[in-house]
Amino acid sequence: MGEGFVVMQSNDVDIYYYQDEPGPVPVEQEGEQEAETSSEDDKLQDLPPCWGLDIVCGKGTDFNYGPWADRQRECLWKFFLPADYQAMKASEVAQPGEPRQIQAFELRMNIIADATIDLLFTKNRETNAIHVNVGAGSYLEVNIPMTVGENGYSPTIKGQLLHVDTTSSMQYRTLLEAEMLAFHVIASYPRVWNMPQSWQCEIEVYKATYHFIYAQKNFFTDLIKDWASDSAPDIYSFVPYSWKFKVLFHQFEMIWAANQHNWIDCSTKQQENVYLAACGETLNIDFTLPFNEFVPTTCHTRFSLRAEDTDMRLSLPECHPSRYPLLTLAKDYQNIKLPPDMFMSAENQAAPPPKPNKSRWRNITHAEAGWLDCWSVPNFLLIIDYSWHPIYPQKADEQLKQSFSEMEESMLSALRPPEQSSVPRYTSTSNSAAPSRGPTDPSELPPDRLHVEMEMSPDSQILLYGPLLRALISIKENYFGEDDMYTDFEEAVSSPVLSTATSSGLGWIEDSEQKDGSDAHPLDLRPWDITVLINLYKVHGRLPVHCSSEGPEGPSGFLERLCFEMKKGYKETMLQMILSPIHIFISDNYQ
């Protein structure tokens, strides 16, 4: 790292170290009279001795960390605290008259001024970063137990970051804004060093705005690859463990770029982008990352997302020709008094009328800034089952050879005659010396599997604006189609002929990587097997039109149920849709 890696720097740091001198464990008193005469000082003696370190950081505080710094931390840890690979003994409880035991070491760090946190990693010898600004009042607490129980010990890390503003080194820099981010990590270490470990991470985010584009997936993937170990798996040092994540958002906005062909204006002011936003009151995300097996062939995880009181909002830029006609249409339609029987289903069962527009938190999606509510869903559920074939360092070629040999064996086993032990089998030297078949087509590899289930609760309400349909089609292509790599406006203007790197849309990828794209390992080109299931119930739709306040309302519709299923493989795609009766209502006075 050249002249060194600055992990932390600050203009003013106050350090307070404290450690109690353990006294003897008091003798238990007998009888009620002695218990009544015991003073408060005697009761305080029952508390364990304190041991800790308090750090207060002032102005100019900056933290830097990343995969390279973490590898140096690991080297220092192994040098000063080498593992002895012995089973830990449970700590004995101190008896009366013996010195009391220190239960834990407590570390607390307070930040009393604005600070920055930089997470640095490298990609093709180029430094990339995630930059985080935090406000005064942020803190970190670490509790390290000094005793071992029957089930081991459990250190904890918790803290909170205030006024979080996160950006990345990509051309599309904006990432996350939040009023507060609180986290709590609990690690469970058993007494035997190679027994399964359990790590739990709970994150709560308040009033968050997240800007999401598909290229961030590759950005964070490169961060994980740089952080992961590049050494071959070793059974002698393998420790099974699992990570359980629980992420809870209180009042959130998730911004999606919806420009056609994924052209994005990455400037910081007056962006000419079409945006769709998913906004809601609460969002729960639960998933587990299991690493309990040594070099498994496949890994599986399940993501569960639950949202309540979710709205979809649309925004068109100032330069868009449909912006002002759309705002005028929305303003005229909102002034119409809707009749009470507008939301009648075919069975004359009235759905609940639209809920009164209570004031909800908005950070970017203000109505005054041109954002329109398009879809309201009371509850939303998304379940993702993902099974993949991991690629291990220094074993990719061996994995590829094993995959093709297993497929070849399964195909030829049906053609071979049954083996008989009485008849000896002879193999020619030429055949045995023949080289094995190399990989001819990565599409022959067993696919990774992705199963997605999406369900919306009944009585969702949608306003069918024209630009909304175009934005949804762009979202489909920009995030799930062929336009998943974005292109910056300014980069395209500066270069009359788009280069390969420019067309990819990843400003942080060098041209050399794109030129060497044909040399990608076949395991990186493994096909996908994707299954999507979508269920919608009792959807109420309205088609806004220009009407007077006393005139008839526009057309409306009611959909009992919609079921959509898609199965997409490498060679074919199958679609299936089931629609229950759709009821369309048009006023008699409407022309």
Side-chain angles (χ1 to χ4, degrees):
M1 298 297 294
E3 298 180 356
F5 189 96
V6 179
V7 178
M8 174 188 172
Q9 62 181 4
S10 180
N11 295 342
D12 183 21
V13 178
D14 294 334
I15 299 177
Y16 176 71
Y17 175 83
Y18 57 93
Q19 182 177 2
D20 290 344
E21 181 180 354
V25 177
V27 180
E28 297 181 358
Q29 298 179 355
E30 298 180 359
E32 297 180 358
Q33 296 180 355
E34 295 181 356
E36 293 177 356
T37 57
S38 61
S39 62
E40 294 295 333
D41 294 339
D42 295 335
K43 294 180 180 179
L44 291 176
Q45 290 182 359
D46 295 338
L47 299 176
C50 296
W51 182 30
L53 179 68
D54 292 345
I55 302 175
V56 180
C57 301
K59 297 181 179 180
T61 302
D62 184 15
F63 299 93
N64 300 293
Y65 205 67
W68 185 88
D70 190 71
R71 284 191 283 269
Q72 312 313 310
R73 177 206 59 80
E74 184 180 6
C75 293
L76 292 172
W77 187 280
K78 290 181 178 180
F79 180 80
F80 288 101
L81 300 172
D84 57 0
Y85 303 103
Q86 302 295 323
M88 294 181 290
K89 297 182 179 180
S91 303
E92 298 180 357
V93 180
Q95 300 300 321
E98 297 180 353
R100 293 183 299 166
Q101 296 177 340
I102 296 177
Q103 299 296 323
F105 174 79
E106 297 180 354
L107 171 66
R108 183 181 178 92
M109 178 181 291
N110 290 323
I111 301 175
I112 60 175
D114 294 342
T116 61
I117 303 173
D118 289 326
L119 193 61
L120 308 175
F121 67 99
T122 57
K123 171 70 175 180
N124 293 334
R125 298 182 179 179
E126 180 180 351
T127 301
N128 301 281
I130 297 177
H131 184 75
V132 184
N133 293 322
V134 297
S138 304
Y139 72 88
L140 173 69
E141 292 182 354
V142 181
N143 184 284
I144 304 176
M146 293 290 106
T147 59
V148 180
E150 292 295 334
N151 297 325
Y153 64 98
S154 297
T156 60
I157 302 174
K158 66 178 180 179
Q160 70 177 17
L161 305 177
L162 300 180
H163 306 293
V164 180
D165 184 8
T166 307
T167 58
S168 67
S169 58
M170 302 174 62
Q171 290 177 319
Y172 190 76
R173 299 179 57 84
T174 311
L175 201 61
L176 175 67
E177 300 175 15
E179 185 176 281
M180 187 182 76
L181 188 150
F183 56 91
H184 189 193
V185 180
I186 303 176
S188 297
Y189 288 93
R191 291 195 297 155
V192 181
W193 70 273
N194 59 354
M195 292 297 290
Q197 299 178 4
S198 176
W199 293 68
Q200 299 180 11
C201 179
E202 297 180 0
I203 301 175
E204 291 191 39
V205 188
Y206 295 84
K207 296 183 179 181
T209 301
Y210 178 58
H211 300 259
F212 175 65
I213 60 175
Y214 183 83
Q216 294 173 1
K217 167 186 171 294
N218 296 335
F219 184 81
F220 288 108
T221 299
D222 293 332
L223 170 61
I224 295 174
K225 287 183 178 179
D226 190 15
W227 208 303
S229 175
D230 57 354
S231 59
D234 183 14
I235 187 63
Y236 294 104
S237 59
F238 171 73
V239 177
Y241 67 97
S242 63
W243 271 98
K244 296 181 180 180
F245 288 90
K246 292 183 179 180
V247 185
L248 178 59
F249 287 86
H250 301 273
Q251 298 176 326
F252 68 93
E253 296 175 341
M254 189 174 186
I255 313 297
W256 301 58
N259 287 348
Q260 192 174 10
H261 302 303
N262 213 358
W263 289 75
I264 298 181
D265 183 4
C266 298
S267 59
T268 57
K269 297 182 179 180
Q270 297 181 352
Q271 294 182 349
E272 300 179 359
N273 297 324
V274 179
Y275 287 118
L276 272 180
C279 312
E281 291 299 310
T282 59
L283 174 63
N284 249 313
I285 304 176
D286 297 334
F287 62 96
T288 301
L289 300 179
F291 302 98
N292 297 321
E293 299 181 15
F294 178 73
V295 192
T297 305
T298 59
C299 295
H300 176 265
T301 188
R302 179 186 179 94
F303 298 85
S304 176
L305 292 83
R306 299 176 183 272
E308 296 181 359
D309 297 331
T310 307
D311 298 327
M312 179 182 290
R313 296 166 185 164
L314 173 66
S315 173
L316 301 181
E318 293 283 348
C319 62
H320 200 287
S322 300
R323 174 182 172 86
Y324 293 102
L326 178 64
L327 295 179
T328 305
L329 174 61
K331 182 178 179 181
D332 293 344
Y333 192 74
Q334 289 175 357
N335 295 329
I336 300 175
K337 295 182 180 180
L338 300 177
D341 59 345
M342 172 183 168
F343 295 94
M344 296 291 289
S345 63
E347 294 78 5
N348 296 327
Q349 296 178 351
K355 297 181 180 180
N357 291 329
K358 62 179 181 180
S359 59
R360 293 185 178 179
W361 173 82
R362 294 172 182 251
N363 180 31
I364 293 180
T365 60
H366 292 283
E368 297 78 7
W371 287 84
L372 301 178
D373 290 342
C374 300
W375 201 340
S376 177
V377 181
N379 292 285
F380 175 83
L381 174 63
L382 179 65
I383 297 177
I384 302 175
D385 285 322
Y386 180 36
S387 298
W388 74 97
H389 297 74
I391 303 176
Y392 301 102
Q394 303 181 17
K395 285 184 175 293
D397 295 335
E398 181 180 346
Q399 288 180 259
L400 181 64
K401 182 179 179 181
Q402 181 179 3
S403 299
F404 278 104
S405 62
E406 290 177 355
M407 289 189 299
E408 183 179 12
E409 180 67 23
S410 62
M411 290 185 295
L412 297 180
S413 60
L415 303 178
R416 292 178 180 147
E419 297 184 3
Q420 297 181 2
S421 57
S422 59
V423 180
R425 297 182 60 185
Y426 300 95
T427 305
S428 60
T429 306
S430 59
N431 292 338
S432 61
S436 60
R437 179 175 66 91
T440 58
D441 189 356
S443 64
E444 299 178 1
L445 293 170
D448 292 338
R449 301 186 183 278
L450 181 67
H451 179 75
V452 180
E453 292 185 14
M454 185 178 70
E455 183 175 339
M456 294 185 182
S457 63
D459 300 325
S460 64
Q461 302 170 13
I462 181 173
L463 293 175
L464 298 173
Y465 293 111
L468 175 62
L469 179 60
R470 183 180 293 273
L472 291 175
I473 295 176
S474 298
I475 289 290
K476 180 256 180 185
E477 294 297 331
N478 295 350
Y479 292 86
F480 310 103
E482 59 182 6
D483 296 328
D484 52 2
M485 295 295 104
Y486 73 94
T487 304
D488 183 16
F489 282 5
E490 296 182 358
E491 184 178 358
V493 172
S494 61
S495 176
V497 179
L498 292 178
S499 63
T500 305
T502 304
S503 62
S504 70
L506 292 177
W508 48 278
I509 289 185
E510 297 180 350
D511 295 343
S512 59
E513 181 184 1
Q514 297 296 330
K515 294 179 182 179
D516 298 339
S518 58
D519 299 333
H521 198 277
L523 291 180
D524 294 327
L525 306 177
R526 187 184 297 271
W528 285 76
D529 188 0
I530 303 176
T531 305
V532 178
L533 180 61
I534 301 176
N535 290 317
L536 306 180
Y537 305 95
K538 295 182 180 181
V539 181
H540 305 268
R542 288 178 285 170
L543 182 62
V545 294
H546 287 283
C547 301
S548 62
S549 59
E550 298 179 355
E553 74 281 353
S556 61
F558 178 78
L559 175 64
E560 287 282 353
R561 183 174 181 179
L562 181 146
C563 295
F564 173 77
E565 184 176 3
M566 181 190 73
K567 185 175 182 181
K568 181 178 179 60
Y570 179 77
K571 297 182 179 180
E572 63 178 0
T573 300
M574 294 184 292
L575 304 176
Q576 178 176 284
M577 180 179 293
I578 301 176
L579 289 173
S580 65
I582 303 177
H583 310 282
I584 301 177
F585 308 96
I586 302 178
S587 174
D588 295 337
N589 299 325
Y590 178 76
Q591 297 180 354

